[in-house]
Amino acid sequence: LVHLVTGGAGFIAVTLIKKLLEKGHTVLALDNLTRGNIAYIEPFLKNPSFTFAKVDCADLPTFRTGLLSALNGRRVSDLWHMAANSDIPAGGADANVDLRDTFMTSFNAVVLMNEQRIPTIHFASSSAVYGDFGRTEIAETSGPCTPISNYGAMKLASEAQISAAVELFAVRANIFRFPNVVGVPATHGVIFDLLNKLKKDPSILPVLGDGTQQKSYLHVSDLVDAMLFIAEHGQNKLNIFNIGATDVGATVRFIAETVKATASPTAHIQYGVGDKGWPGDVPRFRYSVKKLTDLGWSPRMNSEQALRLAIKEIAAQMGM
Amino acid sequence: LVHLVTGGAGFIAVTLIKKLLEKGHTVLALDNLTRGNIAYIEPFLKNPSFTFAKVDCADLPTFRTGLLSALNGRRVSDLWHMAANSDIPAGGADANVDLRDTFMTSFNAVVLMNEQRIPTIHFASSSAVYGDFGRTEIAETSGPCTPISNYGAMKLASEAQISAAVELFAVRANIFRFPNVVGVPATHGVIFDLLNKLKKDPSILPVLGDGTQQKSYLHVSDLVDAMLFIAEHGQNKLNIFNIGATDVGATVRFIAETVKATASPTAHIQYGVGDKGWPGDVPRFRYSVKKLTDLGWSPRMNSEQALRLAIKEIAAQMGM
């Protein structure tokens, strides 16, 4: 039995695959390598329990052929659907990006679950499905979901299709609503962007927005730990969980100052105007993870601890 | 300025177009005529304020070309997006039906709003976005939405894309979560199905499920009245409203008995087993319309009154 990981050469999949292999599972990773990087999964390639195939999951015939060829007669027990566009502003500029990479990958994953009798899907959803709730704390029961980015819209669309699949044929689905996740290998995100700016000019650190944006951050090691915990302990056919830190989060100001202290202590931080980094950005965010803590899981690191560790790791990854 | 109605030859559009024309608006109706019927809008064709074009809105180039050609230089002020698959069981058997007709029509409508600078969209969503809340009363703030049909999933996906559009470029969006709607011209639905069965054999009326399914029903004249009321009085850029009767609904047993009394009083009603008519059917349903009544609108008919009128109208339409 095989654990299938779509988006298998992406940021979060790298940590997920490592832990699945440690647990003794056989893993097949698929990725179209547009945002994922084969270098990230290089270390797994010598493990006989691991297979990788370059496959574009947004195209159903390609996905089906690539999957069946790589499976070579084996069956899939668990589909970890991680493939998605990860560049939210790019999806705002062109709605087709998230239609294709964030939604059609999910739609096709569900079609293949039905066709290939894959019982269980674990889906990397996002807190972006909620939209801007202002200062209201967001629980899984909060509604209506009014996403303010095409990325969030297509994550919600994916959840919806998976939810219907659970009624129609699927045995089980776990939907993880991710917070902002930090760690390595970083490919995008606020830390990555800030460090890149300092790499170009160590004397000045321009920040999008006024620095007051406050969000909850989780380290990728905690995130994957939570996913595996929910996969093991979720009680229902369809389990929807917010995953996040238990604190109220950290500000962009904290991130900028920690990046500066780590990479270029003499840099001048130059803040922008307004509390949104870009259209579709959610300025502040109170995320309830009570359902998850009630199930028995808590993160090891709070937002600021996760950020401090990730900034160190990403600076090292970038040779700074 | 033109009011554009997609799915313009469908059940609800017929009443909507009638009222828009009565209000003095210019109306352009588009429909691919797969489920809609040109006969329904025949009476409008002699009205100089009305134009119809056969266009498949699920295909973007076709939609764009057909729209621009029919507009002939005019601009759209309001897009009433009514096009969708209306056959929920068909969408359960083949997910591509709702992907194409329920979601891609919406995605393309949003793309063309952006391209053609159409400020306002009014969207025919559905109570099916919620899924099965059991005996819990469903308000707009209820969550999480866990649709149990591909139809409900693709309506929720459409809502999500519209919600993001409001953040990114759209001026205004009204999302109407329809209940079960009854009236003429009937093309599908429980009344239509039951009358068809009696037409084939007036002596026996087989009913899906045990007849205890209880839902709220609204007459199409009340529904369109509510849509126009929300369009005029909604307070926000994005207005999401449940539309429905204010009562707890009527049972399938009530419908079967009224159909029998209207069309074939001597027929024997034969109930099935279980409280779901088909996979994806929601057995009972408590629908809060407090947000709408607080805004100042109430339906003229309750569920049983709406059903009685619709059964009379549909029987007449079918020559019974």
Side-chain angles (χ1 to χ4, degrees), chain A:
Chain A
L1 284 174
V2 173
H3 284 247
L4 169 63
V5 182
T6 67
F11 164 40
I12 290 161
V14 175
T15 302
L16 173 65
I17 292 168
K18 186 166 175 284
K19 295 212 182 180
L20 288 173
L21 291 170
E22 282 169 8
K23 280 174 166 280
H25 295 302
T26 302
V27 175
L28 166 60
L30 305 180
D31 202 296
N32 67 357
L33 298 178
T34 60
R35 280 169 295 265
N37 192 327
I38 192 80
Y40 302 155
I41 51 172
E42 195 72 47
F44 308 136
L45 289 173
K46 54 180 179 286
N47 186 327
S49 299
F50 180 77
T51 322
F52 171 80
K54 186 181 170 192
V55 166
D56 186 354
C57 298
D59 181 69
L60 181 59
T62 309
F63 189 177
R64 182 190 289 117
T65 308
L67 172 64
L68 294 179
S69 161
L71 282 175
N72 197 16
R74 298 174 299 174
R75 311 278 306 185
V76 175
S77 64
D78 292 72
L79 197 174
W80 298 84
H81 178 46
M82 316 298 289
N85 170 44
S86 52
D87 185 344
I88 299 183
D94 178 3
N96 287 299
V97 173
D98 281 304
L99 171 66
R100 196 182 180 289
D101 294 347
T102 306
F103 178 63
M104 287 311 300
T105 53
S106 306
F107 185 88
N108 292 340
V110 169
V111 168
L112 290 179
M113 281 185 79
N114 193 11
E115 261 184 39
Q116 306 300 327
R117 300 279 171 268
I118 299 171
T120 301
I121 186 168
H122 310 274
F123 175 54
S125 188
S126 169
S127 58
V129 300
Y130 292 109
D132 191 351
F133 273 65
R135 294 181 185 279
T136 306
E137 189 174 55
I138 301 176
E140 294 83 350
T141 51
S142 297
C145 283
T146 52
I148 61 174
S149 63
N150 289 331
Y151 172 80
M154 293 299 91
K155 283 291 187 189
L156 185 56
S158 301
E159 286 195 2
Q161 193 66 13
I162 290 167
S163 170
V166 168
E167 170 75 14
L168 296 170
F169 59 83
V171 174
R172 186 145 184 249
N174 299 311
I175 292 177
F176 313 115
R177 289 177 172 170
F178 289 1
N180 293 283
V181 183
V182 291
V184 282
T187 57
H188 64 282
V190 59
I191 299 173
F192 188 74
D193 290 346
L194 293 177
L195 284 168
N196 256 324
K197 287 174 182 171
L198 283 181
K199 210 165 186 178
K200 282 185 198 139
D201 184 349
S203 70
I204 191 154
L205 184 56
V207 172
L208 291 175
D210 63 10
T212 63
Q213 306 107 292
Q214 180 169 327
K215 299 181 187 179
S216 160
Y217 293 88
L218 197 68
H219 194 271
V220 65
S221 59
D222 269 335
L223 177 83
V224 169
D225 200 48
M227 292 164 65
L228 294 168
F229 186 88
I230 294 165
E232 194 176 338
H233 295 96
Q235 304 284 313
N236 302 310
K237 272 174 75 88
L238 175 63
N239 300 291
I240 301 180
F241 278 90
N242 288 351
I243 301 180
T246 47
D247 59 302
V248 294
T251 61
V252 169
R253 185 173 295 270
F254 172 84
I255 300 171
E257 279 166 7
T258 311
V259 163
K260 169 186 148 151
T262 305
S264 183
T266 59
H268 169 68
I269 301 176
Q270 190 178 56
Y271 290 102
V273 187
D275 64 356
K276 286 195 181 190
W278 60 81
D281 192 25
V282 180
R284 62 193 70 67
F285 207 74
R286 293 189 55 219
Y287 205 47
S288 169
V289 291
K290 185 173 183 305
K291 185 177 174 188
L292 181 52
T293 54
D294 284 353
L295 191 68
W297 186 89
S298 294
R300 281 164 305 165
M301 289 171 259
N302 67 22
S303 292
E304 296 198 346
Q305 292 169 325
L307 285 164
R308 273 200 204 94
L309 174 58
I311 289 167
K312 245 184 256 176
E313 291 172 329
I314 299 172
Q317 171 195 331
M318 295 173 72
M320 293 172 79

Side-chain angles (χ1 to χ4, degrees), chain B residues 38-235:
Chain B
I38 191 79
Y40 302 155
I41 51 172
E42 195 72 48
F44 307 136
L45 289 173
K46 55 180 178 286
N47 186 327
S49 299
F50 180 76
T51 323
F52 172 78
K54 186 183 168 190
V55 166
D56 186 354
C57 299
D59 182 69
L60 180 60
T62 308
F63 189 177
R64 182 189 290 119
T65 308
L67 172 64
L68 294 179
S69 161
L71 282 175
N72 197 17
R74 298 173 300 173
R75 311 277 307 184
V76 175
S77 64
D78 292 72
L79 197 174
W80 298 84
H81 177 47
M82 316 297 289
N85 169 44
S86 52
D87 185 344
I88 300 183
D94 178 3
N96 287 299
V97 173
D98 281 303
L99 172 66
R100 194 181 182 290
D101 294 347
T102 306
F103 178 63
M104 287 310 301
T105 54
S106 307
F107 185 87
N108 292 341
V110 169
V111 168
L112 290 178
M113 281 185 79
N114 193 12
E115 261 184 40
Q116 307 299 327
R117 299 280 170 265
I118 299 170
T120 302
I121 186 167
H122 311 273
F123 175 54
S125 188
S126 168
S127 59
V129 300
Y130 291 110
D132 190 351
F133 273 65
R135 294 181 185 280
T136 306
E137 191 175 53
I138 302 175
E140 295 83 350
T141 50
S142 298
C145 283
T146 52
I148 61 174
S149 63
N150 289 330
Y151 172 80
M154 292 300 90
K155 282 291 185 188
L156 185 56
S158 301
E159 286 195 3
Q161 193 66 15
I162 290 167
S163 170
V166 168
E167 171 75 13
L168 296 171
F169 59 84
V171 174
R172 188 146 182 249
N174 298 313
I175 291 177
F176 313 115
R177 289 178 173 170
F178 288 2
N180 293 283
V181 183
V182 292
V184 282
T187 57
H188 64 281
V190 59
I191 300 173
F192 188 76
D193 290 346
L194 292 177
L195 284 167
N196 255 326
K197 286 175 183 171
L198 283 181
K199 209 166 187 179
K200 282 187 197 136
D201 182 349
S203 70
I204 191 155
L205 184 57
V207 173
L208 291 175
D210 62 11
T212 63
Q213 304 107 294
Q214 181 170 325
K215 298 181 187 178
S216 160
Y217 292 88
L218 197 68
H219 194 270
V220 66
S221 58
D222 269 335
L223 177 83
V224 169
D225 200 48
M227 291 163 65
L228 293 168
F229 186 88
I230 293 164
E232 194 175 337
H233 295 96
Q235 304 285 314

